[in-house]
Amino acid sequence: VQLQASGGGLVQSGGSLRLSCTASRRVSSRSIMGWYRQAPGKQRELVATITTDDNTNYADSVKGRFTISRDNAENTVVLQMSSLRPEDTAVYYCKLQVLALSPKYDREYWGQGTQVTVSS
């Protein structure tokens, strides 16, 4: 499975951006799709995830500002980002985790990353 992310860019503080990530094929198993980000000099961190049945999880730093959604028919996950702050500047990566009956057989796929830059 290949993931193609798009939608990054440069925005002023307080602005909005919409990131989209599409998988190359439909995943029939239960899965978790999500967004992670990595700022310069920092470790990659979770931003938000969403399960096949639409259970969501957000990092505390983005709660109330970002919304994650998915379209299982289109194999797509979207991250709507609002009230952006300079500290949101990072490369954003989408991830697909295909869940197996046993976690040790789970499979992970990563997109190529898209740059988000928020100017103050």
Side-chain angles (χ1 to χ4, degrees):
V1 179
Q2 294 183 332
L3 301 178
Q4 182 67 45
S6 62
L10 173 64
V11 65
Q12 289 188 333
S13 181
S16 299
L17 279 175
R18 181 179 183 270
L19 304 183
S20 180
C21 177
T22 300
S24 58
R25 64 174 177 84
R26 187 169 183 175
V27 175
S28 58
S29 305
R30 289 176 55 246
S31 66
I32 301 173
M33 298 190 80
W35 291 93
Y36 292 71
R37 67 187 181 187
Q38 187 167 18
K42 295 187 177 181
Q43 290 188 333
R44 190 173 298 187
E45 63 178 5
L46 179 147
V47 177
T49 60
I50 184 167
T51 66
T52 309
D53 48 5
D54 288 340
N55 290 315
T56 58
N57 180 47
Y58 294 92
D60 288 343
S61 60
V62 307
K63 284 180 180 177
R65 300 188 298 123
F66 293 8
T67 301
I68 190 169
S69 61
R70 67 186 286 173
D71 184 331
N72 293 325
E74 298 295 329
N75 314 319
T76 296
V77 61
V78 171
L79 185 69
Q80 180 65 48
M81 304 184 294
S82 302
S83 301
L84 283 161
R85 305 166 180 168
E87 54 263 40
D88 294 318
T89 296
V91 177
Y92 283 69
Y93 298 89
C94 63
K95 175 186 170 183
L96 167 64
Q97 182 179 1
V98 180
L99 305 177
L101 291 178
S102 173
K104 67 179 180 181
Y105 296 116
D106 289 353
R107 291 165 287 164
E108 292 184 355
Y109 306 90
W110 289 89
Q112 82 281 13
T114 184
Q115 177 70 46
V116 171
T117 303
V118 184
S119 62
S120 57

